Amino acid sequence: MATAKPLQPVKREPAATIIAAQLTEAIMDGSLAPGTQLGEAELAGQLGVSRGPLREALQRLVQQGIAVSAPHRGVFVTRLDEHDVRDIYLARTAMESAACRLVLQGDPQRTADRLAKVHRTMKAAARRGNYAALSAADMDFHQALVEESGSPRLQRIAQTLFVETRMCLSALTEDHPDPDALVEEHAGLIEALRDQEESRLLALLDDHMQDAVHRLTGPDPAPESATAEAAAG
């Protein structure tokens, strides 16, 4: 008769981790808008927690860059401007390009199959005109891509960048992307991955990121010389 294994205690996540996750979600969906002060007394009352774990959670948000600590004033939700958007998507391009290279060295067909499942969710959301579901599926697509790389460090980097991306979308997006175009862009990424064409995959990824930047910030500013020439002409 086999010896029964003793049951192990259930490990609970530290309170600070749970609090940080809740605050992060509220920041990403815009409930806590950019510039909002994260007052300890008010948040402790709303969340029903003591100030110790709340203070630790706020410090985690500051370390991630989604909140800033102002001396003698408190902690505030980070404000993102056009320069931040360009920098976030520059970092995402580098990070996801590295993930693509690792995926191509592993099992690209398996990754393509996983991404295709998310892509079907995107198409269904696009058909319904459900922009919230489409945006969520878009983020799921890119998160799955990074997870498939197998790199723990890329995944840690991605976690912060995806939070900042959702902050951008909540705070800066006025016009929704063309659903059909967005679906088609992701279909192209899957096709290039299946064909194992690294150069095409990376080029399509770069174009995809630049499209997002242009939608969030408008066209790139013209160089000063070109602006001067236009004014003179």
Side-chain angles (χ1 to χ4, degrees), residues 1 4 6 19 36 46 54 71 73 113 124 137 141 163 172 184 206:
M1 182 175 178
I19 296 168
T36 300
Q46 290 179 0
L54 174 60
R73 294 182 57 211
D113 289 341
F141 183 100
V163 169
L172 301 177
E184 187 60 31
D206 186 71

Side-chain angles (χ1 to χ4, degrees), residues 19 23 31-32 36-51 54 58 75-76:
I19 296 168
L23 293 176
S31 299
L32 291 172
T36 300
Q37 183 170 10
L38 302 175
E40 289 185 11
E42 182 181 357
L43 288 174
Q46 290 179 0
L47 296 170
V49 298
S50 62
R51 292 200 183 190
L54 174 60
L58 292 177
V75 178
F76 299 81

Side-chain angles (χ1 to χ4, degrees), residues 3 13 19 29-30 36 38 43 58 60 69 76 91 94 97 113 125 153 173 186 200 202 205 211:
T3 304
E13 288 188 279
I19 296 168
D29 68 18
T36 300
L38 302 175
L43 288 174
L58 292 177
R60 293 186 185 190
S69 179
F76 299 81
S97 294
D113 289 341
R153 289 167 180 79
T173 301
H186 287 81
R200 179 159 65 99
L202 297 182
L205 179 67
D211 285 345

Side-chain angles (χ1 to χ4, degrees), residues 203-233:
L204 289 172
L205 179 67
D206 186 71
D207 289 344
H208 178 57
M209 295 297 179
Q210 289 303 314
D211 285 345
V213 170
H214 293 158
R215 180 165 52 84
L216 289 166
T217 66
D220 291 332
E224 291 185 9
S225 58
T227 303
E229 290 176 7

